[in-house]
Amino acid sequence: MPTVYVTAPPDAADELARTLVEERLAACVNRVASDSVYRWDGEVHDESETILLAKTTAERYDELRDRIEALHPHDVPCIERFDESDVLPAYASWVDASTSEET
Amino acid sequence: MPTVYVTAPPDAADELARTLVEERLAACVNRVASDSVYRWDGEVHDESETILLAKTTAERYDELRDRIEALHPHDVPCIERFDESDVLPAYASWVDASTSEET
Amino acid sequence: MPTVYVTAPPDAADELARTLVEERLAACVNRVASDSVYRWDGEVHDESETILLAKTTAERYDELRDRIEALHPHDVPCIERFDESDVLPAYASWVDASTSEET
């Protein structure tokens, strides 16, 4: 059951997170404020970024990743998948249900 | 050596984290402020949650998970285990010692 | 492609993060404010810590870990490696390039 680690500009993060939940690509997205230092075009930069931690299913992961890439304002977004080694079964069921098509 | 990712209401997070350390179920719990967007009963909600990152041992994990489930104010808490692929040996020894019964 | 989870005192975190990027040991370091409860010398403590999430390559990981250990103000720092199960290829290429020696 993947947790997807994404970074986004703070002014784009809320809408990105909400869209993923509204489109049932993620059951939940936690948004965390951060400061990021990174190298771009040879220069070291330091600026605010929001970390998004999106909870989804293995079945939905590819679609989630493609949608983030399409919506993200950056050309090379950080999108990384981490898989847990254990999860509370009731929580896993909730993620499944929240990312399934309405019937 | 598991890191356990838990989300909790901000007003319950501090006591939950402290209890886990006091009972030697975790050596350390990092608490991070976040905003969470999620689907519940068909509606999309957005509210503050605290992310807890609890550092424990493989031996203590089951007991930690059960204790979080018992203490948590929600019926379906997010409790997920992630295992690292490397850890500083001195840090691992400290986690071991901090989660062992006092002798 | 490792994400390295480090905790550091807030007054040391910014310089530590910047040094890792300047020395090309990490492409990016996200810094997140947190409060940590932990056991030390038998007593339970609670204080502010900054979580660093450093993005690097498998090739650079050992050097990054050793450098953090050398620079970190604590004797037993939390340094843990987590490996993702998927990453956007363009992002992986950027991490590779940002941690390679200049030519």
Side-chain angles (χ1 to χ4, degrees), chain C residues 55-67:
Chain C
K55 307 293 185 177
T56 193
T57 60
E59 291 72 26
R60 281 297 213 191
Y61 171 72
D62 285 356
E63 205 179 337
L64 172 71
R65 182 200 55 212
D66 293 349
R67 191 72 174 121

Side-chain angles (χ1 to χ4, degrees), chain B residues 21 29-31 55 85-86, chain C residues 5 35-36 61 80-81 83:
Chain B
V21 173
V29 181
N30 298 148
R31 307 189 302 282
K55 307 293 184 176
S85 45
D86 190 49
Chain C
Y5 186 120
D35 292 296
S36 290
Y61 171 72
E80 294 184 292
R81 170 181 175 165
D83 283 87

Side-chain angles (χ1 to χ4, degrees), chain B residues 36-96:
Chain B
S36 290
V37 55
Y38 61 94
R39 183 179 292 274
W40 190 259
D41 276 342
E43 296 291 313
V44 176
H45 297 262
D46 197 338
E47 61 183 40
S48 296
E49 280 194 307
T50 299
I51 301 170
L52 304 181
L53 297 153
K55 307 293 184 176
T56 192
T57 60
E59 290 72 26
R60 281 296 212 191
Y61 170 72
D62 285 357
E63 205 179 336
L64 173 72
R65 182 201 55 212
D66 292 349
R67 190 72 173 120
I68 296 168
E69 200 180 354
L71 293 168
H72 201 288
H74 290 178
D75 289 340
V76 185
C78 172
I79 305 177
E80 293 183 293
R81 169 181 175 164
F82 293 91
D83 283 87
E84 93 292 348
S85 45
D86 190 49
V87 59
L88 205 70
Y91 184 77
S93 298
W94 171 73
V95 174
D96 268 334

